[in-house]
Amino acid sequence: MSKKKLVFSGVQPTGNLHLGNYLGALKNFVSLQNEMECIYCVVDLHAITTFQKPDELQNNVLETVASFLATGLDPNKSIIFNQSSVSGHTELAWILNCVSRIGWLNRMTQFKDKAGSDKEKASVGLYIYPNLMAADILLYKATHVPVGADQKQHLELSRDIAQKFNNDFNCKDFFPIPEPLIPKNVSRVMSLRDGTKKMSKSEESDFSRINLKDSADEIIKKIKKAKSDSEPIPENLKNLEKKPEALNLLNIYSEVTKKSLETVLNEVSGKEYSFLKTKLSEILIGEIEPIGKEIKKLLNNKDHLKQILKKGREKANNIAEENLKNIREKVGLL
Ligand code: AQP
């Protein structure tokens, strides 16, 4: 088995990227590109598992690439491309649909959340989405997958599928069993309106999230309106357990300032939440505003973004085709 470390991860072009995508995934992507070979994919085929307006989808793909670059991804170090441009993703997804088990998919909590109460009306694509995710990763024989905690269950399924393929086709170690790389502190950034729900692009209220393109004024307004608590900030973590919104604000502050939660609590305990919110707005403006400005600048040259995707597609496709040849052979396809 090749011992080469290879990182793969994807982001759906389903709208504005937000602080959760940034702290949960993109920041990690950037630091990994200096350590390992990295492939980062705009997963447009995942996006269409729920209806996307075609012209909006195209724009969102380019905006996601702009966000990748603005947060520090370098196309000379990392392969950046869009999923639908490499047909191996769907070919391998089909093969893996035949390896994966219905019982496994039935356990996926994200399908239950996204399909809502009327599952009969959800697309078949939404249901088998985790098999496509497994194909994305295994197509490149990726060994490491940086994701937010919300993707942990899907990644475990990818590991089960890789294992079953290796067993079924008697090819021990053919697919590496991919390791999740989940940030320790803020693996799940929560909504600013409801601390029990993750921050998400598809949440209706824009006040639930900080978008990477938000202006300083918008950041200040959203943090000011963020749900917190009428009592002063408690002194210890135990007392924060029943205050998910407050804990979320403290976690974000701790992550962006790179201070431990305990240190942050020492700084702010006993104070009103408005004190924390002012400090949090300041550090978020420092971190997010330059990224937003860069995204807007990059979007002025869409041809440049398309060129990056084209070059990335060629590199990704070469790896994919080579691996697919061996995969077809293992399965017995002529
Ligand atoms: N709230 C979050 N906290 C930490 N990490 C997060 N990620 C997403 N939300 C959070 C991570 O960002 C990466 C890209 O996610 P995605 O856009 O491909 O899909 P998603 O997880 O479904 O994100 P959204 O924002 O909730 O999109 P919609 O609303 O379209 O479904 C992943 O690594 C994810 O873990």
Side-chain angles (χ1 to χ4, degrees), residues 65 69 89 156 158 223 226 307:
V65 180
L69 302 182
H89 289 257
E156 276 158 10
S158 299
I223 296 296
Q307 205 49 36

Side-chain angles (χ1 to χ4, degrees), residues 133-193:
M133 177 166 157
D136 299 335
I137 298 164
L138 301 180
L139 184 59
Y140 301 95
K141 297 195 170 186
T143 55
H144 294 81
V145 186
V147 281
D150 58 311
Q151 291 298 332
K152 189 166 177 266
Q153 195 186 33
H154 289 164
L155 199 66
E156 276 158 10
L157 182 89
S158 299
R159 290 165 60 88
D160 289 343
I161 292 175
Q163 193 92 60
K164 186 168 187 312
F165 184 102
N166 291 348
N167 288 340
D168 287 356
F169 297 103
N170 202 15
C171 49
K172 191 170 177 284
D173 296 338
F174 177 75
F175 283 130
I177 309 303
E179 290 292 333
L181 296 174
I182 298 176
K184 284 199 184 68
N185 302 331
V186 278
S187 57
R188 193 188 291 261
V189 178
M190 308 312 275
S191 155
L192 300 178
R193 311 297 296 156

Side-chain angles (χ1 to χ4, degrees), residues 9-26 29 41 43 46-47 50 52 64 110 114 129 133 145-152 181 183 186-191 197-203 209:
S9 197
V11 174
Q12 292 191 69
T14 38
N16 284 323
L17 297 199
H18 51 72
L19 188 67
N21 300 128
Y22 177 62
L23 297 179
L26 291 176
F29 292 4
C41 184
V43 286
H46 284 287
T50 54
Q52 306 294 318
T64 307
Q110 196 184 75
K114 289 203 171 177
Y129 165 124
M133 177 166 157
V145 186
V147 281
D150 58 311
Q151 291 298 332
K152 189 166 177 266
L181 296 174
V186 278
S187 57
R188 193 188 291 261
V189 178
M190 308 312 275
S191 155
K197 281 195 194 155
K198 75 163 187 158
M199 188 177 281
S200 166
K201 302 185 212 96
S202 50
E203 169 63 49
R209 63 187 158 256

Side-chain angles (χ1 to χ4, degrees), residues 26 42 259 287 321 330:
L26 291 176
V42 182
K259 293 178 187 170
E287 182 98 4
E321 278 306 315
K330 294 283 174 227

Side-chain angles (χ1 to χ4, degrees), residues 25-85:
L26 291 176
K27 252 189 133 171
N28 228 353
F29 292 4
V30 176
S31 55
L32 286 164
Q33 73 178 348
N34 297 319
E35 295 165 28
M36 300 184 206
E37 195 175 336
C38 294
I39 304 178
Y40 296 121
C41 184
V42 182
V43 286
D44 46 6
L45 296 174
H46 284 287
I48 61 168
T49 55
T50 54
F51 183 75
Q52 306 294 318
K53 291 189 183 137
D55 50 340
E56 280 180 18
L57 179 61
Q58 290 199 357
N59 275 326
N60 284 338
V61 169
L62 297 179
E63 192 159 324
T64 307
V65 180
S67 306
F68 279 2
L69 302 182
T71 48
L73 284 187
D74 176 352
N76 294 316
K77 290 185 185 165
S78 299
I79 298 178
I80 296 171
F81 74 107
N82 61 310
Q83 187 185 26
S84 62
S85 70

Side-chain angles (χ1 to χ4, degrees), residues 264-312:
V264 170
L265 264 185
N266 280 342
E267 270 178 39
V268 298
S269 68
K271 303 220 163 56
E272 299 299 316
Y273 280 90
S274 57
F275 176 79
L276 170 67
K277 286 182 171 183
T278 307
K279 281 167 88 74
L280 182 58
S281 296
E282 279 165 16
I283 53 121
L284 282 177
I285 291 168
E287 182 98 4
I288 299 297
E289 202 187 29
I291 295 176
K293 285 188 176 155
E294 186 62 16
I295 295 175
K296 288 174 198 158
K297 199 172 106 197
L298 286 161
L299 283 170
N300 286 330
N301 189 351
K302 293 197 169 151
D303 285 343
H304 171 63
L305 300 173
K306 286 180 186 163
Q307 205 49 36
I308 287 174
L309 285 177
K310 189 163 172 269
K311 282 202 185 135

